[in-house]
Amino acid sequence: MQLQRTDRRFLCSRYAIALASLVLLCARVPTAAAQSCGAHGVAAQVLGSGGPELEDKRASSSYLVWEEGQARVLVDAGGGSALRFGESGAQMSQLDALLFTHFHVDHSADFSALIKSSWFEDRKRPLPIYGPAGNDFMPSTSEFVSDFFGAQRGAYRYLSELLAPGEESSYKMQPHSVAAGDAPVAVYRTGDLAIFAVRVVHGAVPALAWRVEAGGKVFVFSGDTNGEGAGLARLASGADLFIAHNAVPEGATGIERRLHMPPSVIGQIAGDARVKSLVLSHRMLRTLGKEDQTLAEIRKRYSGPVAFANDLDCFPVN
Ligand SMILES: [Zn+2]
């Protein structure tokens, strides 16, 4: 079959973009093929690299920490991430813990889809779920889980067996609301896995950043934050991989800036914390296409490897 002229031009531009992306990636943090993420050693995988906008053609915020082929920790479950979870080859029965940074839609909308999928798996042990405490604007983590699966008033009360103590089920969710400050607080530890949180500032929304230590390596997830306070840099201290949210460009003002950190602040925190590598995620229409400017701002304050995340990118740490 002969390609039409317009088809050829389209394909050429696609190849050019793909080639340019490859060159960009090669110069920065190494990635591995998505299918083999975490098969050996430990790795973080980006399930969702986008923000709330569907037009970015990315799943919303979500990350996995892999160790020796097991998906051990899931951080956030934004819209579209449940599909990426399946594509990654992970299973809900593998998870030691599920963490939420906060309960905006783009960080939590696929939670119920993941739980329903787990019902078909052979999970036999409790699933701890950690996230922020609530306030007037947002539910606590315990309330959030009950709002879906509570036996009396949950929207999906038909699955209440996975939460209600008296009902027969193969496993139970165990929600915990974490009250954290600027000093990292330990919330979970088993074997070589340890999880810590600090409070971060994301407008009036209760929000946490997470540090996951697995197999002797350290992964830190900023979640959404404007970067105020000392907690995030303390949490990220010496991290092997720091995944920070690139939701606004340099020079952002108003509500955007009150909610999110610009590249200069990301660079400052990465530099202060002396992280070994930096991944920029939660990419939005207002930051996509501004990678050069973003990188230039970060480079003024941080000299380590930097990568811009795409869905299913895998970042092994050796
Ligand atoms: Zn967000």
Side-chain angles (χ1 to χ4, degrees):
M1 191 181 80
Q2 282 241 316
L3 285 173
Q4 297 297 311
R5 181 187 297 268
T6 48
D7 291 332
R8 275 202 300 266
R9 207 160 43 213
F10 174 69
L11 278 175
C12 284
S13 64
R14 287 283 295 260
Y15 287 139
I17 291 166
L19 194 65
S21 309
L22 198 66
V23 168
L24 235 119
L25 272 175
C26 287
R28 295 173 187 150
V29 183
T31 60
Q35 293 85 346
S36 61
C37 190
H40 307 288
V42 287
Q45 185 166 27
V46 178
L47 298 183
S49 61
E53 304 149 303
L54 301 177
E55 296 92 329
D56 63 19
K57 299 181 177 61
R58 295 161 183 270
S60 298
S61 192
S62 186
Y63 309 98
L64 273 175
V65 174
W66 289 88
E67 183 174 6
E68 303 297 341
Q70 300 288 308
R72 300 202 65 181
V73 178
L74 178 68
V75 181
D76 280 348
S81 65
L83 174 61
R84 297 285 185 249
F85 187 94
E87 289 173 332
S88 78
Q91 294 179 357
M92 287 295 290
S93 54
Q94 296 171 334
L95 293 179
D96 286 278
L98 198 168
L99 315 177
F100 284 107
T101 60
H102 65 295
F103 293 113
H104 273 156
V105 169
D106 58 313
H107 296 256
S108 61
D110 272 9
F111 169 62
S112 52
L114 289 165
I115 295 303
K116 177 58 189 174
S117 183
S118 79
W119 192 85
F120 294 93
E121 292 185 25
D122 193 27
R123 187 178 180 95
K124 294 278 194 274
R125 57 196 170 120
L127 176 61
I129 300 170
Y130 295 95
N135 66 6
D136 289 346
F137 301 102
M138 300 299 269
S140 69
T141 301
S142 300
E143 287 170 334
F144 180 79
V145 175
S146 290
D147 287 347
F148 284 104
F149 300 108
Q152 301 302 317
R153 308 186 67 85
Y156 301 127
R157 69 194 76 155
Y158 78 104
L159 293 172
S160 64
E161 67 187 60
L162 296 175
L163 185 63
E167 300 182 33
E168 193 175 331
S169 62
S170 62
Y171 85 93
K172 301 286 182 192
M173 289 180 270
Q174 291 183 335
H176 304 273
S177 303
V178 176
D182 273 352
V185 54
V187 300
Y188 184 82
R189 191 184 292 275
T190 181
D192 70 353
L193 178 67
I195 299 173
F196 304 83
V198 293
R199 169 186 171 270
V200 290
V201 179
H202 184 43
V205 177
L208 302 172
W210 288 104
R211 177 183 178 105
V212 178
E213 299 181 357
K217 303 298 180 185
V218 177
F219 303 88
V220 172
F221 304 87
S222 74
D224 287 357
T225 175
N226 64 11
E228 283 176 20
L232 182 54
R234 291 169 74 174
L235 188 78
S237 180
D240 292 283
L241 192 75
F242 176 39
I243 298 185
H245 283 183
N246 181 212
V248 295
E250 199 64 29
T253 57
I255 183 73
E256 292 180 7
R257 179 62 186 90
R258 287 201 293 280
L259 290 174
H260 296 289
M261 51 187 174
S264 56
V265 174
I266 295 174
Q268 188 70 48
I269 292 171
D272 289 348
R274 300 179 184 278
V275 303
K276 299 191 178 87
S277 58
L278 171 64
V279 171
L280 300 171
S281 189
H282 202 288
R283 304 170 69 189
M284 296 182 61
L285 299 182
R286 57 202 183 200
T287 52
L288 286 162
K290 295 184 178 163
E291 287 76 14
D292 288 348
Q293 180 204 81
T294 296
L295 195 57
E297 286 298 330
I298 286 171
R299 280 280 170 257
K300 294 176 188 171
R301 298 158 184 90
Y302 174 71
S303 58
V306 179
F308 289 90
N310 294 307
D311 286 11
L312 293 175
D313 275 357
C314 176
F315 297 96
V317 173
N318 300 309

